[in-house]
Amino acid sequence: TQLLEQSPQFLSIQEGENLTVYCNSSSVFSSLQWYRQEPGEGPVLLVTVVTGGEVKKLKRLTFQFGDARKDSSLHITAAQPGDTGLYLCAGPQDSNYQLIWGAGTKLIIKP
Amino acid sequence: DTAVSQTPKYLVTQMGNDKSIKCEQNLGHDTMYWYKQDSKKFLKIMFSYNNKELIINETVPNRFSPKSPDKAHLNLHINSLELGDSAVYFCASSPPPAFDPLYNEQFFGPGTRLTVL
């Protein structure tokens, strides 16, 4: 069974600090997606990483896919209160391509 | 223009009642989903429909019955509501996962917060 584990579960930091959250698995994934869910809303896709070692940047957010395609990280530089939300990683199952979801990292950025 | 919409946004009801949540998508997607997100924010797939046909039915009590009248709609009916059904329910849609498995993005509705008293 393919599983995705996210860490930390919860992170609360001050505005302006940097942070990294992780999405790990013992299984290889063909791709991983990162979604952000703001309070009272549904998750929204931020990025998809496909190639081992790939790095994608979205303004202050940097996403990396591990070389072995078993893990991914999200690094936020100079966090802003607008970055507050639940960050979810998801990847397609090999058997039927349905998305498997991690449990998420709840991020709070204090002004 | 709302891509995936759900009604109602909030639903408060008594134990034992029957209720429905409606979902509509205007993205032209063939695949639609129902998810349950509990108080710990874990997002759990309940059902997946492709072109009005059920393709995933996770371990969900048979009190939950999805209905897809057409490709753009997937409603969720819940019978004999229990306290443990309290959660946020999300509808989502996507192209068929097998169509582009690497980049298959799911589009979510705003959620329906169900509270069972």
Side-chain angles (χ1 to χ4, degrees):
Chain A
T1 306
Q2 291 172 285
L3 294 173
L4 287 168
E5 293 184 1
Q6 291 191 245
S7 60
Q9 285 186 306
F10 179 78
L11 185 57
S12 178
I13 63 170
Q14 291 295 135
E15 181 177 1
E17 293 183 11
N18 301 332
L19 66 106
T20 303
V21 298
Y22 301 91
C23 174
N24 295 313
S25 178
S26 57
S27 307
V28 174
F29 279 85
S30 55
S31 64
L32 281 178
Q33 301 178 354
W34 284 92
Y35 289 75
R36 178 168 65 208
Q37 183 182 7
E38 297 185 14
E41 303 290 331
V44 175
L45 181 69
L46 295 173
V47 81
T48 302
V49 286
V50 175
T51 308
E54 180 177 7
V55 175
K56 279 192 173 175
K57 292 196 176 192
L58 195 66
K59 296 184 183 176
R60 294 173 295 99
L61 279 59
T62 302
F63 302 84
Q64 184 156 11
F65 202 10
D67 290 341
R69 291 185 288 128
K70 290 183 177 182
D71 53 82
S72 181
S73 63
L74 158 58
H75 181 79
I76 302 181
T77 305
Q80 305 289 313
D83 297 327
T84 291
L86 179 69
Y87 289 80
L88 295 157
C89 67
Q93 288 187 84
D94 289 340
S95 57
N96 60 10
Y97 309 122
Q98 296 294 335
L99 283 182
I100 296 168
W101 293 84
T105 293
K106 186 169 182 182
L107 177 62
I108 294 178
I109 310 299
K110 294 178 282 192
Chain B
D1 231 9
T2 307
V4 182
S5 59
Q6 293 178 232
T7 52
K9 175 84 171 163
Y10 300 96
L11 187 51
V12 182
T13 188
Q14 300 287 329
M15 261 174 50
N17 284 351
D18 303 339
K19 289 293 178 187
S20 291
I21 307 172
K22 294 188 175 183
C23 177
E24 177 181 3
Q25 55 97 2
N26 63 7
L27 297 167
H29 289 156
D30 285 336
T31 306
M32 295 185 72
Y33 312 84
W34 276 110
Y35 285 90
K36 179 180 180 180
Q37 188 172 49
D38 60 26
S39 57
K40 293 188 177 177
K41 302 299 183 183
F42 186 66
L43 197 63
K44 185 178 174 183
I45 182 91
M46 299 173 71
F47 302 102
S48 173
Y49 267 73
N50 188 57
N51 237 334
K52 299 179 3 178
E53 284 187 28
L54 180 67
I55 56 173
I56 285 182
N57 181 357
E58 293 293 322
T59 309
V60 175
N62 57 15
R63 298 182 294 104
F64 290 80
S65 52
K67 286 247 169 63
S68 183
D70 55 60
K71 219 172 71 161
H73 295 84
L74 181 62
N75 304 323
L76 184 65
H77 188 76
I78 317 170
N79 288 330
S80 305
L81 276 154
E82 299 177 357
L83 293 176
D85 297 333
S86 296
V88 181
Y89 292 83
F90 286 99
C91 176
S93 75
S94 76
F99 181 72
D100 188 2
L102 295 185
Y103 290 98
N104 193 261
E105 177 181 358
Q106 291 190 8
F107 294 80
F108 285 79
T112 295
R113 181 174 292 277
L114 171 65
T115 303
V116 182
L117 302 174

